[in-house]
C-alpha cells in the first residue's frame, strides 16, 4: 500500500508560491496518495511549471522533502543523503556534498591534536555515530571544528559530539541522544534499511497522510499543529501515565502546545481507560 509522508519544509515552500503555482501543486497532491512516479532513492518530481518536489522513495514509501524551483531542487537532491540512526532509529538528513568539502579541508589543516583521540570507535558507534562519519571525526582538532559541523549534520549526530567536545562524558552524550527518542519505551532493535519505521519515529521530520483531508491539513496548517519535536511527541502521545505529570519550562517552550496535542491525542484514541494527566 502506498505511504506518503510530508516533511516540514514542503508546506513552507508551498505556502510561499504564487497562487497559480500553488494551485497546480494542490491539484496534483491527492494523486500522490495512490502513486508517486519517482525513482527509488532521492529524486525529483514535477509538481508545477518551474517547480519540482524533492522526494525520497523506498518501496511503497514516499517522503516529500521540499518544493523548489527546478535548478534548486535538482541541486538539493544531488547534495543530500539520508540514513537511519542505528541506535534510536530516527531518520537523518545529511549535506553530503558539504561534508566532503569539510573533510578535505580538515585533512589539509589537521595538526597533531585530535579532539576525539581518547574515544574509541566502539564508544562513538554506541552513541549512534554513523560509521561513514568516523574518518572525519578522527580529523577534528578542537571544539570549533565540531561547531562548524552543526549546520551539516543531523542533530542526532551533532549533539553527542558537541557534548563530548565540551568535555562531557559518554553517559552525558548518550543522554543528549536519548532526548531525541519519541517513546518512553527502551530502544527496540533497529532496522536501518526500514525508512517507513524511521519516519514514524521522526515526528519532527515527517507526518504521514492517508486521506485527502489529512493531506490538506498537513500542507495548510501551521507547523505547530502538525510537526512535534521528539520530547513534545513523547509527552503528548504516550499511551498512559502511571502518575500525574508536571511539565515545566519558560515562556515559549511549548507547554501549552504539549497540552493541546495531549488533549487531541486522548480525544482521538481514548478507550474509556483512566489516564493520569
Amino acid at each position: 500500500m502506498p505511504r506518503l509522508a510530508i516533511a516540514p519544509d514542503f508546506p513552507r515552500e508551498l505556502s510561499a508560491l504564487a497562487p497559480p503555482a500553488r494551485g497546480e501543486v494542490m491539484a496534483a497532491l491527492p494523486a500522490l496518495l495512490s502513486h508517486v512516479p519517482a525513482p527509488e532513492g532521492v529524486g525529483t518530481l514535477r509538481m508545477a511549471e518551474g517547480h519540482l518536489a524533492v522526494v525520497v522513495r523506498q518501496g511503497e514509501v514516499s517522503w516529500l522533502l521540499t518544493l523548489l524551483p527546478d535548478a534548486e531542487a535538482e541541486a538539493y537532491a544531488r547534495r543530500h543523503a539520508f540514513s537511519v540512526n542505528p541506535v534510536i532509529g530516527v531518520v537523518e538528513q545529511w549535506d553530503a556534498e558539504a561534508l566532503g568539502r569539510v573533510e578535505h579541508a580538515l585533512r589539509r589543516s589537521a595538526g597533531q591534536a585530535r579532539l576525539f583521540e581518547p574515544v574509541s570507535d566502539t564508544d562513538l558507534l554506541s552513541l549512534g555515530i554513523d560509521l561513514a562519519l568516523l574518518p572525519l571525526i578522527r580529523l577534528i582538532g578542537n571544539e570549533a571544528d565540531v561547531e562548524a559541523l552543526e549546520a551539516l549534520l543531523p542533530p542526532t549526530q551533532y549533539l553527542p559530539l558537541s557534548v563530548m567536545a565540551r568535555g562531557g562524558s559518554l553517559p552525558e552524550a548518550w543522554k543528549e541522544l536519548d532526548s531525541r527518542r519519541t517513546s518512553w519505551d527502551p530502544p527496540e532493535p533497529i532496522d536501518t534499511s526500514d525508512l517507513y519505521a524511521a519516519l514514524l519515529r521522526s515526528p519532527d521530520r515527517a507526518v504521514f497522510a492517508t486521506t485527502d483531508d489529512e493531506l490538506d491539513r498537513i500542507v495548510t496548517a501551521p507547523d505547530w499543529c502538525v510537526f512535534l519535536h521528539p520530547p513534545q511527541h513523547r509527552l503528548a502521545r504516550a499511551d498512559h501515565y502511571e502518575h500525574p505529570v508536571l511539565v515545566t519550562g519558560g515562556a515559549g517552550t511549548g507547554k501549552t502546545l504539549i497540552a493541546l496535542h495531549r488533549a487531541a491525542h486522548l480525544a482521538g484514541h481514548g478507550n474509556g481507560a483512566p489516564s493520569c494527566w
Side-chain angles (χ1 to χ4, degrees):
M1 179 182 71
R3 295 183 170 110
L4 179 67
I6 311 294
D9 283 350
F10 189 91
R12 294 176 198 142
E13 297 293 347
L14 175 60
S15 67
L17 290 182
R22 186 164 65 247
E24 287 185 60
V25 177
M26 292 298 292
L29 278 172
L32 302 184
L33 291 171
S34 58
H35 175 61
V36 178
E40 288 273 320
V42 187
T44 58
L45 178 66
R46 174 66 59 200
M47 298 298 296
E49 183 66 29
H51 284 80
L52 295 167
V54 181
V55 59
V56 179
R57 280 283 311 280
Q58 183 190 81
E60 292 295 305
V61 179
S62 302
W63 180 27
L64 294 182
L65 292 172
T66 190
L67 183 67
L68 297 168
D70 289 1
E72 293 178 37
E74 296 287 1
Y76 189 104
R78 288 193 303 270
R79 194 173 74 242
H80 286 85
F82 301 87
S83 60
V84 175
N85 186 282
V87 174
I88 62 172
V90 299
V91 72
E92 298 178 325
Q93 180 174 340
W94 307 75
D95 190 332
E97 187 176 276
L99 277 176
R101 293 195 297 268
V102 167
E103 183 171 354
H104 182 67
L106 284 174
R107 289 189 184 281
R108 286 187 302 171
S109 62
Q112 294 299 313
R114 296 290 187 273
L115 184 62
F116 294 110
E117 188 171 2
V119 186
S120 70
D121 286 355
T122 299
D123 284 338
L124 288 171
L125 294 174
S126 75
L127 295 172
I129 300 302
D130 194 280
L131 182 63
L133 192 61
L134 291 182
L136 185 147
I137 291 174
R138 292 307 178 195
L139 297 173
I140 290 174
N142 52 58
E143 186 178 351
D145 288 343
V146 176
E147 292 173 353
L149 295 173
E150 182 174 7
L152 309 181
L153 293 175
T156 41
Q157 297 290 314
Y158 171 76
L159 291 173
L161 292 176
S162 69
V163 169
M164 290 190 294
R166 298 192 301 269
S169 65
L170 281 168
E172 289 169 333
W174 164 254
K175 184 178 179 181
E176 192 68 49
L177 175 67
D178 193 51
S179 72
R180 305 293 299 185
R181 288 197 299 115
T182 57
S183 169
W184 298 108
D185 297 327
E188 59 194 70
I190 302 300
D191 180 356
T192 57
S193 67
D194 189 343
L195 178 63
Y196 176 63
L199 292 176
L200 288 177
R201 300 187 196 101
S202 309
D204 57 331
R205 299 296 306 139
V207 174
F208 281 90
T210 58
T211 67
D212 289 356
D213 287 345
E214 285 181 346
L215 182 56
D216 184 69
R217 180 182 66 85
I218 291 168
V219 299
T220 59
D223 272 11
W224 63 266
C225 288
V226 180
F227 300 97
L228 290 175
H229 294 295
Q232 294 173 329
H233 187 278
R234 191 165 60 244
L235 287 165
R237 305 291 175 85
D239 289 340
H240 68 280
Y241 289 93
E242 299 295 338
H243 306 285
V245 173
L246 174 65
V247 179
T248 63
T253 55
K255 301 183 299 298
T256 304
L257 174 63
I258 292 172
L260 288 171
H261 277 274
R262 181 62 178 170
H265 176 75
L266 292 176
H269 298 81
N271 58 6
S275 175
C276 290
W277 177 262

